[in-house]
C-alpha cells in the first residue's frame, strides 16, 4: 500500500495551507468579534482564489473546474479546516449537484458558479425535517406548466451570500409496504424570485460569521425548467452528488484538530508549573499522545474513503465511519486542548475557546453521529438480510 502523496498533491497541500495562514488567520479574530465578513474582504478572497486557479477545484476540467479527484479535494478541505469557516467559504467550492444541470441550466447556473460569478446554497433542512429528509413539509405542486412552492427551510448555510439556491421539496406521496413515502424533487431558485424570501436565521455559538438563514416560499411559482434532475428524482440527485459532503466534514475536522494540536503542544512546551514545562508531566504528555494518535487515525480513515471513491469502490460505510470518528475525535481534541491551556483556554484572548465551540456542530450537520452509526450498521447487516 502506498501512503505517500505525489509531488502535485504535496503542492496542493502547501498552497492551500499557505493561503489559510496568510489570508484567513489574520482576519479571524475580527470576524469572530463582529459576526460579519466585510463585503470587500469576501470579494478580495474570492478574487485571489480565482487567480490561484482553485475556485471550483472540485469540478471537472471539461466545465472549467480544477479537475481534482476525491482524494485531492479532500486534502484541500483538510487544509481549509484549519481556518474560519466564515472566511474559507469564499475559497469557492460550489455544490457538485450542479453537475446535474442540463441545457439552459448549465449557462445560468453551472458555468457561472464554476467561474465564480454566482454563488449557490443548498436548501434541504426544515424546522421539522432534519435527519428525516422525507419528513419535509415544503411542497411543490404542479399548476399548468409551472410548479408552485410553499414552505420553510432553515439552517441554510451560506444563504446570505448566495445568488441562487438548490431547493428540495416534496412533490407527491407513494403508498409503500412501509407506509406513505414522500417523493422529492430538486429545484433551482434565484434570489429575489417572486414569492421567495431569505431572512436572517439563528445566532449560533459555532462558526460565527458563517451564517444560517431561513428561506420562506409563499406561492413561489417556478417554470418547469427550474427542476434539477428528474421530477420526483430528488433522492437520486441527492445520493449521486451529496453523500460525499460527509467526507468534507471529516476532512475539515482533521484539519481543525491538527491546528488545535499545534496550539496544545506549543503551550505545553512553554507553560511552566512547579519549576518545569507542563509537557514534562505524564498527565499532559499522555493526553498529547492520545490526541495525535486519534488525529492520525481520523486522517487515514478520511483519506482511505476518498481513495475508494476515486476507484469506484463502495464507500458509503467508510465515509460514514470517517465522518463519525473525525467529528467525535475533534470534540475530544478541542476539549483536551482547552484543558491543557487551563483557565486561559476559556478566554477569548486565545482561539482555543472558539475551536471548542465550533467543534460541537460537526457531530450534527451533514448527518448526526447517530445517523452515521445507523448507516454503518445498515451497511454491515443488509448483506445478511438482517
Amino acid at each position: 500500500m502506498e501512503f505517500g502523496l505525489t509531488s502535485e498533491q504535496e503542492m496542493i497541500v502547501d498552497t492551500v495551507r499557505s493561503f489559510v495562514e496568510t489570508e484567513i488567520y489574520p482576519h479571524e479574530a475580527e470576524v469572530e468579534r463582529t459576526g460579519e465578513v466585510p463585503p470587500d474582504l469576501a470579494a478580495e478572497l474570492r478574487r485571489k482564489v480565482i487567480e490561484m486557479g482553485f475556485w471550483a477545484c472540485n469540478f471537472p476540467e471539461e466545465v472549467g473546474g480544477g479537475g481534482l479527484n476525491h482524494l485531492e479535494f479532500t486534502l484541500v478541505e483538510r487544509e481549509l479546516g484549519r481556518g474560519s469557516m466564515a472566511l474559507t467559504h469564499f475559497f469557492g467550492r460550489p455544490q457538485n449537484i450542479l453537475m446535474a444541470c442540463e441545457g439552459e441550466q448549465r449557462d445560468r447556473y453551472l458555468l457561472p458558479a464554476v467561474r465564480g460569478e454566482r454563488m449557490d446554497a443548498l436548501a434541504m433542512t426544515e424546522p421539522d425535517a432534519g435527519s428525516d429528509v422525507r419528513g419535509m413539509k415544503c411542497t411543490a405542486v404542479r399548476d399548468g406548466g409551472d410548479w408552485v412552492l410553499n414552505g420553510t427551510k432553515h439552517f441554510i448555510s451560506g444563504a446570505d451570500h448566495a445568488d441562487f439556491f438548490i431547493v428540495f421539496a416534496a412533490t407527491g406521496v407513494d403508498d409503500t409496504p412501509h407506509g406513505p413515502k414522500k417523493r422529492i424533487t430538486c429545484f433551482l431558485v434565484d434570489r429575489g424570485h417572486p414569492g421567495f424570501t431569505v431572512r436572517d436565521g439563528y445566532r449560533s455559538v459555532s462558526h460565527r460569521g458563517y451564517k444560517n438563514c431561513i428561506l420562506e416560499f409563499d406561492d413561489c411559482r417556478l417554470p418547469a425548467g427550474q427542476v434539477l434532475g428528474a421530477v420526483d428524482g430528488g433522492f437520486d440527485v441527492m445520493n449521486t452528488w451529496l453523500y460525499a459532503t460527509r467526507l468534507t466534514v471529516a476532512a475539515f475536522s482533521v484539519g481543525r484538530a491538527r491546528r488545535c494540536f499545534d496550539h496544545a503542544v506549543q503551550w505545553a512546551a512553554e507553560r511552566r508549573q512547579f519549576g518545569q514545562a507542563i509537557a514534562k508531566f505524564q498527565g499532559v504528555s499522555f493526553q498529547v499522545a492520545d490526541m495525535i494518535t486519534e488525529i492520525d487515525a481520523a486522517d487515514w480513515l478520511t483519506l482511505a474513503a476518498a481513495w475508494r471513491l476515486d476507484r469506484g469502490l463502495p464507500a458509503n460505510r467508510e465515509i460514514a465511519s470517517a465522518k463519525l470518528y473525525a467529528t467525535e475525535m475533534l470534540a475530544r481534541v478541542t476539549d483536551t486542548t482547552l484543558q491543557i491551556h487551563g483557565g486561559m483556554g476559556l478566554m477569548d484572548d486565545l482561539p482555543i475557546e472558539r475551536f471548542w465551540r465550533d467543534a460541537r456542530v460537526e457531530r450534527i450537520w451533514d448527518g448526526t453521529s447517530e445517523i452515521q452509526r445507523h448507516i454503518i450498521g445498515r451497511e454491515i447487516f443488509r448483506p445478511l438480510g438482517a
Side-chain angles (χ1 to χ4, degrees):
M1 299 178 68
E2 177 56 59
F3 291 98
L5 300 181
T6 66
S7 57
E8 182 177 344
Q9 291 167 343
E10 292 281 8
M11 182 189 70
I12 290 171
V13 169
D14 292 342
T15 301
V16 179
R17 184 176 299 180
S18 175
F19 179 87
V20 171
E21 291 176 349
T22 59
E23 304 293 342
I24 301 297
Y25 285 4
H27 303 288
E28 289 182 334
E30 184 66 12
V31 170
E32 181 71 13
R33 185 184 68 82
T34 63
E36 302 285 343
V37 178
D40 290 348
L41 175 58
E44 181 71 3
L45 290 173
R46 187 194 302 206
R47 181 187 65 78
K48 288 180 177 179
V49 174
I50 292 172
E51 287 181 356
M52 288 166 54
F54 271 87
W55 191 276
C57 60
N58 53 323
F59 275 70
E61 292 179 347
E62 55 262 32
V63 298
L68 300 188
N69 61 29
H70 288 98
L71 176 59
E72 291 161 350
F73 183 58
T74 298
L75 293 171
V76 170
E77 291 288 5
R78 188 184 71 184
E79 296 311 312
L80 292 177
R82 292 174 175 267
S84 162
M85 185 170 283
L87 293 165
T88 58
H89 176 65
F90 299 99
F91 202 84
R93 294 92 76 207
Q95 297 287 340
N96 278 349
I97 197 172
L98 291 174
M99 285 300 294
C101 286
E102 295 181 351
E104 185 189 17
Q105 293 176 347
R106 293 172 62 87
D107 294 325
R108 291 180 59 199
Y109 299 103
L110 170 62
L111 298 181
V114 170
R115 291 193 295 262
E117 298 165 359
R118 304 189 76 191
M119 294 191 75
D120 60 294
L122 188 70
M124 188 180 303
T125 303
E126 299 180 6
D128 295 317
S131 298
D132 179 16
V133 177
R134 286 193 189 271
M136 67 175 58
K137 296 179 180 178
C138 186
T139 62
V141 178
R142 284 187 189 272
D143 184 24
D146 296 337
W147 290 89
V148 179
L149 270 66
N150 281 285
T152 300
K153 300 287 184 181
H154 79 162
F155 292 159
I156 308 306
S157 302
D160 50 330
H161 298 285
D163 300 295
F164 67 93
F165 298 78
I166 303 161
V167 181
F168 290 82
T171 47
V173 179
D174 289 326
D175 290 324
T176 75
H178 302 289
K181 184 174 291 187
K182 291 181 180 178
R183 300 193 299 272
I184 307 297
T185 301
C186 185
F187 297 87
L188 296 164
V189 186
D190 291 299
R191 178 183 288 276
H193 192 84
F196 173 41
T197 304
V198 180
R199 61 184 179 88
D200 291 342
Y202 316 96
R203 285 180 58 85
S204 174
V205 302
S206 297
H207 301 301
R208 289 176 180 165
Y210 184 65
K211 297 182 179 180
N212 67 84
C213 293
I214 297 171
L215 313 185
E216 295 177 339
F217 301 91
D218 183 10
D219 289 335
C220 178
R221 182 175 292 272
L222 298 173
Q226 297 305 112
V227 173
L228 181 62
V231 172
D232 298 333
F235 267 95
D236 292 335
V237 175
M238 199 184 305
N239 292 332
T240 300
W241 299 109
L242 293 182
Y243 78 108
T245 59
R246 289 178 271 138
L247 198 57
T248 293
V249 178
F252 170 93
S253 298
V254 172
R256 180 57 58 90
R258 290 204 184 278
R259 185 176 177 187
C260 288
F261 179 79
D262 291 343
H263 278 277
V265 169
Q266 191 67 31
W267 183 270
E270 295 177 356
R271 173 70 168 164
R272 298 184 67 82
Q273 290 290 282
F274 303 102
Q276 60 184 340
I278 63 173
K280 294 284 189 178
F281 299 106
Q282 287 185 344
V284 173
S285 65
F286 281 15
Q287 287 179 313
V288 169
D290 287 342
M291 288 166 69
I292 194 59
T293 300
E294 289 200 66
I295 292 170
D296 285 345
D299 203 356
W300 289 118
L301 267 176
T302 303
L303 296 178
W307 180 88
R308 290 182 66 86
L309 281 178
D310 283 332
R311 281 152 183 77
L313 299 171
N316 200 31
R317 178 182 66 77
E318 288 80 3
I319 291 173
S321 293
K323 202 274 186 184
L324 170 66
Y325 187 77
T327 56
E328 298 204 343
M329 171 277 297
L330 178 61
R332 292 188 290 270
V333 166
T334 53
D335 191 74
T336 301
T337 299
L338 193 153
Q339 188 72 18
I340 289 173
H341 280 75
M344 281 304 299
L346 287 166
M347 304 300 115
D348 62 10
D349 300 68
L350 300 177
I352 309 306
E353 56 87 24
R354 167 163 56 92
F355 299 155
W356 181 57
R357 285 186 286 104
D358 289 350
R360 188 60 186 87
V361 73
E362 308 304 332
R363 288 178 279 164
I364 296 174
W365 59 13
D366 284 275
T368 63
S369 289
E370 291 73 23
I371 288 294
Q372 304 312 314
R373 289 184 171 95
H374 170 73
I375 292 170
I376 295 165
R378 184 188 61 194
E379 293 288 313
I380 291 171
F381 286 112
R382 180 176 284 170
L384 303 177

